[in-house]
Amino acid sequence: MTDHTTDDPTRSGGCLCGRVRYHFTGDPLMVAACHCRHCQRQSGTAFSLVCVVTDDQYRQTGETRVFQDKGDSGAAVYRHFCAHCGSPILSVAGILPGLTIIKAGTLDDPSPWRPMAEAYCNTALPWLPVLAAERHPRSNIGQE
Ligand SMILES: [Zn+2]
């Protein structure tokens, strides 16, 4: 089995138990904070920090379990978790074909990926500071 860890911890990540490992090549198309209620529930915290990459940029080892959620548009959102430890790894949105929405908190070193935009600010927790200059009340890119 290939361990999808590169020598770049800012582009490698995995779940809590280590059964799921992944990496991506190049730079994310978008880094965003998503404050939607679904991200709050599935993460158990204030928002999701996501790195959006193309499917071609992404490689993974280890099985994920998929929960089928539904986005605002009514299209399916497939939320992938480690089947063993439950860490959220990524989402695939029906309205964003070809894109992998990585839960950036699972990176080995997420520190450089500052959000460029915030989505679903209408449900952002009121005590959070502003994180990005570009702020959308809902979603401009359909991700959540
Ligand atoms: Zn795990």
Side-chain angles (χ1 to χ4, degrees):
M1 190 194 326
T2 308
D3 180 1
H4 286 292
T5 303
T6 65
D7 54 8
D8 181 354
T10 69
R11 289 171 175 76
S12 298
C15 68
L16 205 48
C17 76
R19 284 172 172 81
V20 176
R21 290 293 302 167
Y22 68 82
H23 76 259
F24 65 89
T25 56
D27 286 333
L29 305 177
M30 164 66 72
V31 181
C34 183
H35 303 279
C36 84
R37 290 293 297 137
H38 292 218
C39 277
Q40 290 168 344
R41 280 191 200 283
Q42 79 118 156
S43 68
T45 184
F47 60 87
S48 284
L49 178 66
V50 296
C51 285
V52 182
V53 300
T54 65
D55 295 346
D56 289 344
Q57 288 175 270
Y58 183 83
R59 291 291 178 272
Q60 180 184 303
T61 302
E63 289 280 321
T64 46
R65 191 165 195 166
V66 182
F67 173 71
Q68 185 175 339
D69 196 3
K70 193 154 75 164
D72 269 1
S73 64
V77 175
Y78 299 94
R79 297 182 178 276
H80 292 238
F81 300 79
C82 172
H84 187 78
C85 71
S87 305
I89 304 295
L90 62 88
S91 301
V92 176
I95 60 166
L96 296 173
L99 298 181
T100 295
I101 303 165
I102 301 169
K103 300 292 181 179
T106 61
L107 286 161
D108 295 333
D109 178 10
S111 61
W113 304 119
R114 187 179 179 142
M116 308 162 186
E118 292 180 76
Y120 290 93
C121 293
N122 60 351
T123 50
L125 297 186
W127 42 261
L128 277 174
V130 169
L131 302 173
E134 188 182 325
R135 305 185 87 233
H136 302 276
R138 295 171 73 79
S139 179
N140 63 316
I141 49 174
Q143 62 86 23
E144 54 183 286

